[in-house]
Amino acid sequence: MTDKLEALSQPVGWTTQEELNEANGGVGWMFLSPMKQPDEIALYSQEYVTALLNENAELKASLSEWEDCKHDGATYHDMSGRERCGRCGADL
């Protein structure tokens, strides 16, 4: 996690499920410190949520190179002696 994401990862407020249900698209209460309620819900800034969604998209894109592996790279043998692809780890 980057320093910026770490700084943004702190909740900006808290609410409860009851408040969310009562708000129903309108206005509800938001508390600036934890209420220590069993149904307490942390609220995060839109900037933090957007940053997490962008990071998730980048990670998914980088995964495609592993998912699309055609096993044409280096190989290794695992502890059981099976030959595996050095790129994606699949049995060969």
Side-chain angles (χ1 to χ4, degrees):
M1 187 179 288
T2 66
D3 290 342
K4 182 176 182 176
L5 275 182
E6 183 68 33
L8 290 172
S9 70
Q10 300 305 311
V12 295
W14 288 263
T15 193
T16 64
Q17 188 62 53
E18 181 181 357
E19 284 297 326
L20 291 176
N21 293 342
E22 289 176 3
N24 196 20
V27 177
W29 286 97
M30 178 181 93
F31 305 93
L32 297 178
S33 61
M35 301 168 293
K36 308 217 180 345
Q37 303 264 338
D39 66 340
E40 181 175 288
I41 299 169
L43 303 172
Y44 295 90
S45 69
Q46 183 61 53
E47 184 179 8
Y48 180 59
V49 172
T50 300
L52 288 177
L53 290 172
N54 290 339
E55 184 178 68
N56 187 38
E58 290 171 11
L59 290 171
K60 279 185 176 180
S62 69
L63 271 179
S64 67
E65 73 182 54
W66 299 100
E67 293 170 351
D68 297 336
C69 181
K70 303 296 183 228
H71 311 302
D72 58 0
T75 63
Y76 69 95
H77 290 85
D78 66 15
M79 293 176 67
S80 67
R82 288 181 290 182
E83 186 177 17
R84 296 190 173 267
C85 173
R87 186 172 182 191
C88 70
D91 285 331
L92 297 179

